[in-house]
Amino acid sequence: MTAKSRILVVDDDAGGRRLTRATLTRAGFDVIEAQDGQQALDLMHGALPDLVLMDVSMPVMDGFTACAELRKLPGGGRVPVVMMTGLDDVGSIERAFEVGATDFLTKPINWPILAHRVRYMLRASSAINDLNQNQRRLSNAQRIGEMGDWEWDVQRDLIVPSEQAWRIFGHDGAQGPLQRDSFLATVHPDDAERVRLACERAIANGDSFAIEHRIFRSGSTLRHVHQQVEVINRDDAGRALHLAGAVHDITRRKDAEEQIRRLAYYDTLTGLPNRLLFTEQLQRAIATAERDGQQVAIMFIDLDHFKRVNDT
C-alpha cells in the first residue's frame, strides 16, 4: 500500500484551514495544520512534510519568514512550499520566491483544482529531488574513482568540464566554460600535438577515440590521464558538432606499473639493469640486425670479486 503524502497547511484563518483540509483529505492526502509560521516550524522540527501550503499574512510569524526558516532546517531545502496569498502585487510574489517558495496560489482558492496543483507540485518535487540525488551520486562516484566528464560545443568552441574534471586538471572547482586552447593548455608539451590531432580527427570524421597523455598541474606536478571521447552529435557531412569526454586520473596505475617494471628489470640493490632486461634488449638488437643485414657485438666485462662486494 502506497503511503499518503503528508501536507502541512499553515493559515491563521481557521475556516480556510478546514476547507483546505477537507478538500485535500478527500483527494487522499494526509493533512496536518498550523495556525502561524512559528507553530509550523515547531511541527517540522519533528518530521518534515511532503509539501507545505503557507499563507503569507499571519500573526506571530508571517509566511515569508517561516519559509526562509524552513529552508535552514536539515532537509528543508527539498520540501516544496506553495505560498497562499490574497496579494496580487508582483513585489509579494517576488519576495516569496526570494525566500525559497516553490510556487504560489492566489486567494480565493479555486478548490476544484487545488488537489491537482498539489499532485503536480509533489511530482515535480520528486523528479527534482531524484535528479539532485543522482547528481550527488555521480559526483561522489567520480570523486572516488578520480574521474570527470566534459562536453564540447564545437561550433561555439566552448568546453564545459565537470567540477571533478576541473580538479583532475589541477583546479579547486568548476571554472566555467572555456575554449579548446585553454582546455588543452595543461597537456604535457610532448603529448600536446598527439592530443590535438586526435581531437581534429574526431571533429573532421566524427570518430570516437581513447587516448592517454600527461598533464601539468599547479606546482609542476605531473599526472597521467586516460580520456575516452565520444561524438554525440554530427552534421549532415559527418563532422562532429558536440563531443563528450570522460577523463580518468590514472597516475596511481602508472606509478604502480613503473614500480613493477623497475622490480622486473633492475637490481634492487644497485639500481642497475638486470639479466632479464639485458636478454630482452639483446633479442631486440639481434632481430633489428637480421632485418637490416647488420651485425651485433657483445662485450663481456668481468669484475673480480664483485659477488663479495654485492653480498656485503
Side-chain angles (χ1 to χ4, degrees):
M1 181 177 178
T2 304
K4 293 182 179 180
S5 296
R6 193 162 177 257
I7 312 300
L8 171 59
V9 178
V10 189
D11 195 341
D12 62 324
D13 180 3
R17 290 201 310 272
R18 284 194 296 270
L19 283 172
T20 305
R21 180 175 196 138
T23 301
L24 296 180
T25 300
R26 283 196 302 269
F29 296 105
D30 182 16
V31 181
I32 55 176
E33 301 176 29
Q35 63 184 11
D36 56 61
Q38 185 58 59
Q39 190 178 71
L41 289 175
D42 293 340
L43 288 172
M44 287 186 285
H45 273 96
L48 292 174
D50 296 301
L51 182 142
V52 178
L53 288 173
M54 181 94 70
D55 189 28
V56 168
S57 301
M58 295 180 292
V60 183
M61 181 185 292
D62 62 28
F64 298 124
T65 305
C67 182
E69 291 300 315
L70 165 61
R71 295 309 186 202
K72 298 176 184 178
L73 296 177
R78 297 192 299 270
V79 179
V81 178
V82 181
M83 304 293 281
M84 301 183 296
T85 176
L87 305 175
D88 57 0
D89 61 291
V90 176
S92 295
I93 297 173
E94 289 180 347
R95 186 182 174 193
F97 286 118
E98 286 174 0
V99 297
T102 310
D103 201 353
F104 67 94
L105 288 172
T106 55
K107 292 183 176 180
I109 293 174
N110 188 336
W111 300 108
I113 69 168
L114 176 61
H116 298 290
R117 286 288 300 273
V118 169
R119 288 194 187 96
Y120 170 78
M121 290 303 305
L122 288 170
R123 286 198 300 268
S125 175
S126 177
I128 292 172
N129 289 336
D130 288 345
L131 178 61
N132 291 335
Q133 186 177 30
N134 289 336
Q135 288 177 334
R136 286 194 298 271
R137 287 174 177 171
L138 176 60
S139 178
N140 289 334
Q142 289 187 342
R143 176 179 53 81
I144 295 170
E146 296 183 302
M147 298 183 65
D149 63 276
W150 50 265
E151 287 194 6
W152 182 358
D153 184 337
V154 177
Q155 290 181 310
R156 299 168 60 198
D157 191 24
L158 286 180
I159 299 173
V160 182
S162 67
E163 184 175 352
Q164 186 58 28
W166 271 118
R167 289 196 177 97
I168 291 174
F169 285 105
H171 299 276
D172 292 335
Q175 305 290 312
L178 70 166
Q179 294 182 323
R180 168 174 39 180
D181 291 343
S182 300
F183 183 65
L184 299 177
T186 55
V187 178
H188 191 284
D190 293 343
D191 298 337
E193 183 67 11
R194 183 165 54 89
V195 174
R196 184 184 64 80
L197 289 175
C199 292
E200 290 180 354
R201 283 195 298 269
I203 294 172
N205 304 324
D207 295 333
S208 304
F209 69 93
I211 192 169
E212 291 185 7
H213 63 86
R214 294 162 293 173
I215 60 172
F216 273 126
R217 300 211 309 196
S218 57
S220 299
T221 303
L222 188 64
R223 310 291 292 180
H224 295 266
V225 298
H226 173 88
Q227 298 223 48
Q228 184 74 38
V229 181
E230 300 283 343
V231 178
I232 58 176
N233 194 11
R234 299 176 175 83
D235 61 16
D236 294 338
R239 287 178 56 86
L241 297 177
H242 288 86
L243 301 176
V247 55
H248 184 197
D249 189 335
I250 58 172
T251 305
R252 293 182 185 179
R253 193 193 81 190
K254 286 293 185 180
D255 290 345
E257 289 175 353
E258 178 60 24
Q259 180 65 18
I260 292 171
R261 180 180 177 277
R262 290 203 62 84
L263 291 173
Y265 290 113
Y266 291 86
D267 182 76
T268 55
L269 180 63
T270 64
L272 297 173
N274 62 16
R275 187 176 303 175
L276 178 60
L277 181 58
F278 168 76
T279 302
E280 288 191 4
Q281 292 187 348
L282 176 60
Q283 291 172 345
R284 191 176 301 117
I286 291 174
T288 301
E290 290 177 345
R291 185 183 67 244
D292 299 336
Q294 297 177 347
Q295 294 181 335
V296 175
I298 300 175
M299 179 181 293
F300 179 81
I301 302 176
D302 185 24
L303 300 179
D304 291 340
H305 310 298
F306 180 75
K307 184 177 185 302
R308 182 182 301 172
V309 175
N310 195 53
D311 290 343
T312 302

